[in-house]
């Protein structure tokens, strides 16, 4: 495993999870996999944070879950984004972009 | 709407908890399966792959809790804490039992007393605007005494005063009812407006109309609910029917509601159940001095009790100036006494004192539970430090501890309610007659709410300190510290608790000692008669069947003679009013050759048959008792008491002197005997002048009128007097088969009832003190044991270095006794001030009674000595090697 394994930046996990389930419904394990793949292995999300994050999102009503058969034929819980979740994601995304932009500007700043 | 989604999700969680739990499990199982698969695909051994998968999930339990926390917030966490708490309590049944019983007793005592206080003191009397109701009592006695007034005075007060909206009056009597089973019931002759003045309408039918107040129009009667049920089976068509009351036919106009009581019924065992119009004939020139009415006034709006009393005083002064009251006018001054004071005056301070005592008891109980929790928290500090180190939140820990003590509180309250229920049943047996409202005492919602409130307060009081202390633990400190350091930190607080417990207990024990002393003094009072072994029962002759002295005299003579010759009977007689069973009242007199100025002579009038004085074993100081020769035709004779002799014939021998009833021309009566005073109206009273007139001569003595119809039969017998009842009843039947008998009691029971209130207060406070003592002893024992256990190491060293067992025992006991002595000293200081509150409850004992002030500390110190001796012995028996190895 690459040494570059990193923690997800604090405060961004919810946004990332929302993004993953917005593409298509995923089960918990799958969310972890997608995050790892999408970040090219940079984010190896601790499962102890992932499930609470999913529950948190559900609690807010941003994702909802349903049980169906997984690709292996075993029953699994799939999470899917809701309409308010999508709105939330857009919002988070916008604010994230602003921050990244701002941070970049500072870093590239020179006399 | 996102917040609605959120609320819905939350609700779903709460409602479908178990489903969600199951889903969570399944989800995790799925995760592990997939992770294992993935690990295997990366080349791991199957078993290693599974293990790695599980590790990646972290400690499963902790993980689940976090997920749950995410959801449940406070509620689910609380539930979890509760289950946790229950488990903990069950794991330590000893601790739980002691804590629960302690709390249960504290809460139970308070709940019981609270329900008394509430229904007796806090709930208004069941009259309309009871604050505006007063009765006329004599103004010359302190505390004011009830007094009878004449019909003439009622009419005159109505004219002469302005403070009252209305004045009503009633006089108490008894009636024989012969509908169905003959029964004698309490009856009252009332002015028609009395129901309006008290504000109680009839349940069925109507109350009296003003017209029915007139003689000739008064052939009506109101039935009490009880009579209605017992005699007429609750039939509604009784209204309008004619019934015979004391031989007179009357029309039933209405039924009164079951809870309607005339004011003074509150002090009687049986309430009034029949009302007839007093039919005062205002057109006649009524005598001022014929007093038999209680007057009730409804104050005009805005008028105070003081103003009303002043108004009465003014009217009285006018009459006195006009000379209509005779030369005894001074004694006829009246005061308006608020109904509340009148009915509850005696009970109120006693109840508040008990309420205060119960509160003190609860404080002690809380202190004890706090002890237990502190001791437990000490034992748990390592465990909690570990939880903290593993990342548990401090609030969470504090909450967990508070929930645990809250659990104790809730269970303690439940136990307390059970105890209160049992205690109230006991209290009802002990209760003095004038607490009759206790019939309505129940553990209702309000009382339960009170218990819950107490439980909450107790929980917070007992649990907060340990919770704060533990949640604020310094982790490293606890883990590193040896036991001794931490123990010393806590010892100060615990000692303080014990010292205050002992001080509080001392207050209760001392109060109880004072009351017990006072009660013993009351019991020692020489009543002037011998109450043991006497059967008493009441007979009331109907005036229609016994219109004259010939009939009535014959009846009582025959009855007493027949009963006196029954087997096992030593003596028998009859009397108008038994001592200590009611107010007897006085009759104004004329004393022959009396020149001394001052109040009109008067004496309490007793009517007796020959044999009565002997049956009660009154002590004769000179002359003779009454005999069969003192009959209708014999010379007029009377026995008087020493007080009467000394008052009206001071410095002379009263024997052979003469007096007569009233101030007119009634026949002279010769004093033929003098007896010692007896306690008449109350156990504690100044002796009153009293005369015993023979029943046979009463009509002659008052110069006409009706004979004395109601008498109480007294029978002195060997063995249980009550077992004579069937025989006595047979004799009454033989003379008059329609005649009911009532008030069957032993004379012992009559005198015991007279001491019911002091007994009630004494027994309750005594019980509280005993409980306090036990709790304080438990507390002290607990602390000494705890401290000793902390000092095991030190004691081991001492013993190893050659300290004797005795020395070790003394060392530990000195510790306990020092705490006890400190507490006792503080408690005594408090008592010097507090016992004054008891002054009103004490008879012939001063609040600073040296006996009580010596006994109470002795009791506490002895208890403390025992409580610390046990752990001290245990410490002295320590094996030094074991002790040193510990820790």
């Amino acid at each position: 495993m690459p040494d570059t394994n990193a923690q997800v930046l604090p405060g961004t996990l919810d946004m990332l999870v929302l993004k993953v389930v917005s593409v298509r419904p995923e089960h918990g394990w799958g969310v972890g996999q997608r995050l790892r793949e999408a970040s090219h292995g940079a984010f190896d999300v601790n499962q102890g944070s992932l499930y609470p994050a999913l529950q948190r999102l559900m609690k807010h009503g941003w994702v909802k879950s349903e049980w169906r058969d997984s690709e292996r034929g075993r029953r699994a819980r799939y999470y899917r984004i809701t309409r308010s979740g999508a709105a939330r994601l857009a919002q988070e995304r916008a604010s994230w972009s602003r921050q990244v932009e701002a941070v970049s500007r500072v870093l590239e700043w020179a006399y | 709407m996102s917040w609605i989604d959120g609320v819905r999700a939350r609700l779903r969680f709460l409602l479908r908890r178990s489903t969600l739990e199951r889903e969570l499990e399944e989800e995790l199982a799925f995760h592990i399966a997939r992770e294992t698969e993935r690990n295997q695909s990366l080349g791991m051994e199957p078993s290693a792959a599974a293990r790695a998968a599980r590790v990646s999930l972290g400690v499963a339990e902790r993980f689940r809790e976090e997920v749950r926390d995410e959801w449940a917030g406070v509620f689910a966490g609380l539930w979890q804490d509760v289950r946790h708490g229950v488990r903990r309590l069950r794991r330590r049944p000893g601790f739980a039992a002691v804590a629960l019983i302690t709390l249960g007793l504290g809460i139970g005592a308070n709940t019981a007393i609270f329900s008394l206080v509430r229904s007796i003191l806090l709930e208004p009397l069941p009259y309309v605007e009871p604050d505006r109701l007063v009765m006329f009592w004599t103004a010359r006695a302190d505390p004011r005494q009830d007094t009878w007034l004449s019909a003439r005075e009622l009419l005159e007060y109505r004219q002469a005063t302005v403070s009252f909206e209305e004045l009503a009056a009633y006089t108490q009597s008894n009636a024989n009812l012969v509908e169905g089973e003959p029964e004698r019931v309490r009856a009252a002759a009332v002015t028609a407006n009395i129901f309006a003045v008290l504000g109680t309408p009839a349940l069925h039918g109507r109350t009296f109309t003003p017209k029915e107040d007139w003689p000739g129009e008064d052939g009506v009667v109101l039935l009490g609910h009880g009579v209605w049920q017992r005699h007429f089976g609750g039939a509604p068509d009784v209204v309008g029917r004619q019934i015979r009351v004391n031989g007179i036919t009357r029309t039933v106009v209405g039924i009164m509601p079951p809870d309607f009581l005339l004011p003074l019924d509150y002090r009687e065992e049986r309430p009034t159940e029949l009302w007839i119009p007093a039919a005062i004939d205002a057109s006649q020139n009524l005598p001022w001095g014929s007093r038999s009415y209680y007057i009730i006034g409804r104050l005009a709006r805005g008028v105070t009790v003081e103003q009303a009393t002043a108004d009465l005083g003014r009217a009285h002064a006018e009459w006195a100036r006009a000379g209509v009251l005779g030369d005894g006018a001074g004694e006829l001054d009246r005061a308006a006494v608020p109904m509340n004071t009148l009915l509850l005056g005696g009970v109120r301070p006693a109840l508040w004192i008990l309420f205060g005592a119960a509160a003190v008891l609860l404080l002690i109980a809380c202190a004890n539970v706090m002890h237990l929790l502190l001791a437990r928290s000490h034992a748990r500090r390592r465990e909690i430090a570990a939880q903290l180190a593993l990342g548990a939140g401090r609030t969470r820990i504090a909450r967990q501890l508070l929930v645990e003590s809250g659990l104790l509180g809730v269970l303690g309250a439940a136990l307390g309610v059970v105890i209160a229920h049992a205690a109230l049943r006991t209290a009802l047996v002990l209760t003095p007659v004038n607490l009759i409202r206790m019939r309505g005492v129940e553990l209702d919602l309000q009382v339960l709410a009170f218990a819950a409130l107490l439980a909450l307060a107790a929980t917070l009081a007992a649990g907060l300190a340990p919770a704060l202390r533990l949640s604020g633990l310094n982790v490293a400190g606890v883990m590193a510290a040896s036991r001794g350091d931490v123990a010393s930190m806590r010892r100060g607080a615990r000692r303080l608790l014990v010292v205050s417990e002992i001080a509080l207990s001392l207050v209760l024990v001392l109060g109880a000692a004072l009351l017990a002393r006072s009660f013993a003094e009351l019991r020692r009072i020489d009543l002037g008669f011998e109450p043991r072994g006497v059967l008493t029962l009441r007979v009331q002759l109907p005036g229609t069947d016994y219109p004259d002295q010939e009939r009535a005299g014959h009846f009582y003579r025959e009855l007493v003679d027949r009963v006196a010759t029954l087997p096992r009977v030593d003596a028998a007689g009859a009397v108008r009013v038994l001592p200590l069973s009611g107010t007897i009242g006085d009759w104004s007199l004329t004393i022959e050759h009396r020149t001394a100025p001052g109040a009109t002579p008067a004496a309490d009038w007793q009517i007796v048959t020959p044999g009565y004085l002997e049956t009660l074993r009154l002590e004769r100081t000179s002359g003779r008792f009454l005999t069969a020769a003192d009959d209708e035709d014999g010379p007029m004779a009377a026995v008087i008491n020493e007080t009467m002799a000394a008052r009206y014939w001071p410095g002379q021998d009263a024997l052979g002197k003469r007096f007569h009833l009233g101030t007119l021309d009634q026949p002279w009566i010769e004093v033929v005997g003098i007896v010692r005073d007896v306690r008449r109206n109350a156990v504690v009273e100044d002796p009153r002048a009293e005369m015993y007139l023979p029943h046979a001569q009463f009509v002659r003595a008052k110069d006409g009128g009706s004979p004395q119809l109601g008498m109480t039969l007294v029978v002195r017998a060997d063995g249980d007097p009550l077992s004579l009842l069937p025989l006595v009843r047979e004799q009454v039947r033989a003379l008059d088969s329609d005649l009911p008998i009532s008030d069957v009691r032993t004379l012992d029971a009559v005198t015991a009832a007279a001491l019911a209130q002091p007994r009630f207060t004494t027994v309750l406070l005594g019980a509280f003190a005993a409980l306090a003592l036990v709790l304080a002893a438990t507390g002290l024992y607990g602390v000494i044991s705890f401290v000793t256990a902390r000092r095991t190491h030190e004691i081991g060293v001492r013993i190893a270095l050659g300290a004797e067992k005795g020395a070790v025992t003394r060392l530990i006991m000195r510790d306990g006794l020092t705490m006890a002595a400190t507490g006792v000293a503080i408690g005594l200081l408090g008592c010097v001030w507090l016992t004054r509150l008891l002054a009103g409850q004490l008879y012939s004992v001063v609040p600073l009674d040296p006996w009580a002030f010596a006994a109470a500390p002795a009791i506490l110190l002895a208890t403390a000595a025992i409580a610390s001796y046990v752990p001290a012995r245990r410490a002295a028996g320590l094996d030094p090697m074991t002790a040193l190895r510990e820790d």
Side-chain angles (χ1 to χ4, degrees):
Chain A
M1 243 181 253
D3 207 36
T4 54
N5 260 2
Q7 284 287 315
V8 172
L9 206 59
T12 59
L13 179 61
D14 288 8
M15 175 176 69
L16 297 181
V17 172
L18 266 183
K19 162 68 191 169
V20 169
V21 300
S22 76
V23 177
R24 65 164 202 221
E26 280 288 355
H27 47 66
W29 185 79
V31 172
Q33 293 306 306
R34 297 293 94 74
L35 275 174
R36 190 156 35 198
E37 289 164 18
S39 65
H40 300 282
F43 294 154
D44 192 0
V45 181
N46 179 357
Q47 317 297 343
S49 319
L50 178 61
Y51 284 95
L54 281 166
Q55 299 292 332
R56 201 155 52 230
L57 293 172
M58 275 219 287
K59 192 171 68 177
H60 285 117
W62 293 331
V63 300
K64 55 186 180 188
S65 68
E66 59 191 351
W67 288 88
R68 48 169 144 121
D69 289 339
S70 73
E71 60 280 10
R72 291 288 191 282
R74 183 168 175 170
R75 221 165 79 93
R77 177 191 254 175
Y78 280 80
Y79 297 88
R80 142 203 316 282
I81 196 159
T82 64
R83 209 139 22 113
S84 59
R88 173 74 186 181
L89 178 60
Q91 204 183 326
E92 295 247 327
R93 211 173 173 152
S95 100
W96 174 255
S97 305
R98 275 198 302 280
Q99 279 187 42
V100 169
E101 208 176 317
V103 170
S104 310
R105 282 202 189 115
V106 171
L107 291 178
E108 282 157 21
W109 168 78
Y111 286 105
Chain B
M1 292 291 263
S2 72
W3 68 270
I4 291 185
D5 288 344
V7 168
R8 199 180 297 142
R10 264 168 223 252
L11 278 178
R12 204 164 63 95
F13 175 78
L14 283 176
L15 295 175
R16 299 181 44 225
R17 236 196 104 88
S18 58
T19 322
L20 291 171
E21 290 269 331
R22 233 182 13 253
E23 288 183 348
L24 190 58
E25 294 299 328
E26 192 176 342
E27 188 170 19
L28 291 178
F30 175 79
H31 179 100
I32 288 170
R34 290 302 306 269
E35 190 70 16
T36 309
E37 229 174 80
R38 175 169 171 265
N39 287 346
Q40 271 176 306
S41 73
L42 292 175
M44 282 191 186
E45 290 292 310
S47 61
R51 206 181 318 119
R54 240 172 259 124
V55 167
S56 84
L57 258 183
V59 182
E61 183 57 36
R62 188 174 159 228
F63 167 77
R64 275 190 207 112
E65 277 193 16
E66 267 183 51
V67 173
R68 272 191 212 109
D69 270 6
E70 209 37 75
W71 273 108
V74 177
F75 292 108
L78 204 59
W79 174 236
Q80 191 190 351
D81 285 345
V82 168
R83 282 192 314 189
H84 198 60
V86 171
R87 264 207 307 278
R88 281 186 173 289
L89 291 181
R90 280 173 56 181
R91 219 179 294 149
R92 295 286 199 99
F95 160 80
V98 173
L100 279 183
I101 291 170
T102 307
L103 272 179
L105 286 174
I107 294 176
N110 276 274
T111 308
I113 294 293
F114 172 74
S115 42
L116 287 188
V117 165
R118 189 190 55 127
S119 71
I120 294 172
L121 298 187
L122 303 183
E123 270 181 12
L125 295 170
Y127 301 126
V128 169
E129 292 184 75
D131 293 348
R132 283 173 57 210
L133 286 176
V134 296
M135 283 185 83
F136 289 8
W137 278 15
T138 175
R140 292 297 159 98
D142 188 37
R144 300 213 155 117
Q145 287 181 343
D146 55 348
T147 184
W148 285 324
L149 293 91
S150 61
R152 175 64 177 269
E153 283 172 292
L154 170 70
L155 300 176
E156 297 285 344
Y157 273 124
R158 277 183 179 162
Q159 296 300 317
T161 57
V162 293
S163 311
F164 304 96
E165 209 171 83
E166 234 177 313
L167 292 183
Y170 74 96
T171 180
Q172 204 80 62
S173 68
N174 292 286
N176 293 342
L177 215 57
V178 286
E179 309 278 332
E181 180 77 4
E183 192 195 0
R184 186 161 169 274
V185 297
R186 278 176 70 86
V190 301
T191 55
N193 63 349
I194 197 166
F195 304 100
V197 167
L198 295 175
T200 314
L203 179 69
H204 297 297
R206 57 169 175 87
T207 57
F208 300 137
T209 62
K211 204 180 99 197
E212 286 158 356
D213 239 350
W214 288 90
E217 309 286 338
D218 60 330
V220 288
V221 62
L222 272 164
L223 298 184
H225 197 265
V227 162
W228 183 45
Q229 294 293 333
R230 289 196 304 275
H231 289 265
F232 305 99
D237 62 351
V238 169
V239 175
R241 250 175 46 197
Q242 306 226 308
I243 63 166
R244 283 176 75 76
V245 179
N246 277 354
I248 295 170
T249 304
R250 292 174 182 273
T251 307
V252 178
V253 296
I255 315 286
M256 292 305 288
D259 54 352
F260 175 70
L261 294 177
L262 288 174
L264 295 185
D265 282 352
Y266 282 100
R267 0 181 252 198
E268 304 295 338
E269 253 172 297
R270 294 182 305 136
T272 307
E273 292 186 303
L274 212 65
W275 299 268
I276 57 172
I280 295 168
D281 191 349
S283 64
Q284 296 278 315
N285 183 20
L286 294 168
W288 282 81
S290 171
R291 303 189 172 86
S292 61
Y293 287 98
Y294 292 114
I295 296 188
I296 304 167
R298 181 167 283 282
L299 294 176
R301 290 204 182 274
V303 172
T304 65
V305 173
E306 291 71 28
Q307 287 165 339
T309 297
D311 199 8
L312 294 182
R314 205 183 29 72
H316 172 262
E318 246 166 58
W319 299 334
R321 255 198 312 281
V324 294
L325 296 175
D327 53 359
E331 286 173 11
L332 300 177
D333 196 7
R334 322 286 190 200
V337 179
M339 199 67 89
N340 252 308
T341 313
L342 180 152
L343 295 181
L344 306 172
V347 190
R348 190 176 309 185
L351 269 186
W352 284 124
I353 285 168
L354 288 176
F355 201 29
V360 169
L361 192 67
L362 185 63
L363 278 182
I364 298 176
C366 282
N368 247 1
V369 173
M370 200 195 287
H371 265 311
L372 288 168
L373 289 173
L374 275 174
R376 284 254 291 152
S377 71
H378 183 81
R380 280 173 62 186
R381 73 196 195 289
R382 276 163 191 270
E383 167 199 337
I384 286 173
Q387 288 185 16
L388 285 172
L390 290 175
R394 283 178 195 274
T395 44
R396 181 71 195 272
I397 300 251
R399 193 177 73 188
Q400 191 187 327
L401 292 168
L402 268 183
V403 163
E404 201 176 317
S405 55
L407 209 58
L408 281 177
V410 170
L411 295 176
L415 185 64
V417 169
V418 173
I419 291 175
H421 184 71
L424 274 178
R425 286 182 167 268
T426 319
L428 273 168
V429 175
L430 282 171
T431 186
V433 169
N434 57 5
L435 288 182
I436 204 162
R437 299 178 84 192
M438 279 185 66
R439 283 173 176 172
V441 173
E442 276 159 32
L443 293 175
D444 58 10
L445 273 182
Q446 211 182 343
V447 172
L448 293 182
F450 179 79
L453 200 71
L454 284 185
L456 183 70
T459 305
L460 284 179
L464 202 55
L468 289 179
R469 170 162 282 155
L470 275 188
S471 61
L473 271 185
N474 171 344
V475 177
V478 172
M479 293 310 229
S482 81
R483 296 181 168 199
D485 300 332
V486 186
S488 66
M489 231 166 59
R490 205 148 294 150
R491 226 181 281 159
R494 299 172 57 88
R495 276 166 190 276
L496 199 65
L497 275 179
V498 170
V499 167
S500 26
E501 262 186 64
I502 288 176
L504 291 172
S505 308
L506 181 85
V507 172
L508 288 188
V509 170
L510 208 147
L514 280 173
L515 284 186
R517 277 265 292 148
S518 162
F519 191 67
E521 290 291 321
L522 283 173
R523 294 281 307 239
R524 278 232 301 273
I525 290 177
D526 181 5
L527 297 172
F529 58 90
E530 173 53 59
R532 271 179 288 271
V534 177
L535 170 72
T536 78
L537 54 94
R538 185 85 183 160
V539 177
Q540 175 82 26
L541 301 176
T544 43
D545 296 347
Y546 298 85
D548 49 28
Q549 179 58 37
E550 198 193 331
R551 301 284 249 309
H554 174 261
F555 175 86
Y556 282 113
R557 204 163 16 244
E558 271 291 301
L559 180 62
V560 170
D561 283 352
R562 281 161 173 258
V563 170
T565 52
L566 287 174
R568 285 176 40 220
V569 170
D570 287 343
V575 63
R576 180 182 150 242
V577 182
L578 268 185
L580 301 178
S581 70
T583 310
I584 170 167
D586 58 8
W587 199 304
S588 57
L589 304 174
T590 305
I591 310 284
E592 196 177 26
H593 308 309
R594 179 175 165 89
T595 49
T600 311
D604 288 358
W605 54 293
Q606 217 21 324
I607 296 171
V608 300
T609 66
Y612 168 76
L613 298 170
E614 293 89 327
T615 308
L616 260 68
R617 299 203 173 139
L618 263 71
E619 206 178 307
R620 184 173 44 173
T621 49
S622 65
R624 62 173 176 89
F625 285 141
L626 298 170
T627 68
D630 300 311
D631 61 7
E632 282 83 353
D633 307 316
M636 302 288 288
V639 170
I640 64 171
N641 71 353
E642 286 179 326
T643 300
M644 178 164 171
R647 184 169 303 160
Y648 299 125
W649 295 278
Q652 312 168 46
D653 183 4
L655 211 61
K657 300 290 192 299
R658 300 202 304 171
F659 66 93
H660 68 69
L661 297 185
T663 48
L664 302 171
D665 264 344
Q666 289 91 340
W668 290 106
I669 301 168
E670 184 183 332
V671 176
V672 298
I674 300 172
V675 291
R676 286 194 43 214
D677 298 337
V678 299
R679 303 287 170 157
R680 280 237 49 92
N681 298 333
V683 173
V684 185
E685 65 169 4
D686 292 331
R688 297 168 60 90
E690 186 175 11
M691 55 189 171
Y692 299 89
L693 307 174
H695 182 265
Q697 298 179 347
F698 177 54
V699 173
R700 268 164 77 205
K702 60 181 177 159
D703 208 8
S706 58
Q708 179 65 28
L709 294 172
M711 296 284 277
T712 296
L713 190 67
V714 293
V715 188
R716 181 174 292 281
D718 285 339
D720 177 15
L722 284 177
S723 65
L724 270 178
L725 182 61
L727 290 176
V728 174
R729 196 193 294 272
E730 214 172 274
Q731 299 307 317
V732 176
R733 285 253 169 80
L735 287 170
D736 186 336
S737 58
D738 275 349
L739 209 58
I741 61 176
S742 63
D743 300 318
V744 179
R745 291 180 294 181
T746 63
L747 193 53
D748 253 339
V750 174
T751 55
L755 287 178
Q757 195 193 313
R759 178 182 296 112
F760 180 74
T761 324
T762 307
V763 168
L764 277 192
L765 195 60
F768 288 174
L771 280 179
L773 212 54
V774 171
L775 293 183
T778 324
L780 187 67
Y781 171 84
V783 169
I784 298 284
S785 305
F786 175 82
V787 171
T788 312
R790 295 304 113 202
R791 288 169 73 182
T792 303
H793 193 84
E794 174 207 329
I795 293 166
V797 171
R798 281 173 190 268
I799 294 176
L801 292 179
E804 283 178 36
K805 280 180 188 286
V808 172
T809 311
R810 273 197 301 281
L811 180 78
I812 305 288
M813 280 191 70
R814 194 168 57 217
D815 200 26
L817 287 177
T818 310
M819 279 189 268
T822 316
V824 164
I826 296 171
L828 278 177
L829 281 179
C831 279
V832 170
W833 180 74
L834 277 171
T835 51
R836 284 184 314 180
L837 299 177
L838 276 177
Q841 309 292 316
L842 297 180
Y843 168 77
S844 138
V845 174
V846 292
L848 294 181
D849 180 56
W851 186 90
F853 268 77
I859 291 172
L860 267 154
L861 289 175
T863 313
I866 296 168
S868 33
Y869 180 73
V870 179
R873 280 296 301 181
R874 202 187 304 136
L878 272 181
D879 172 16
M881 288 324 289
T882 324
L884 288 174
R885 232 179 278 124
E886 224 178 70
D887 207 41

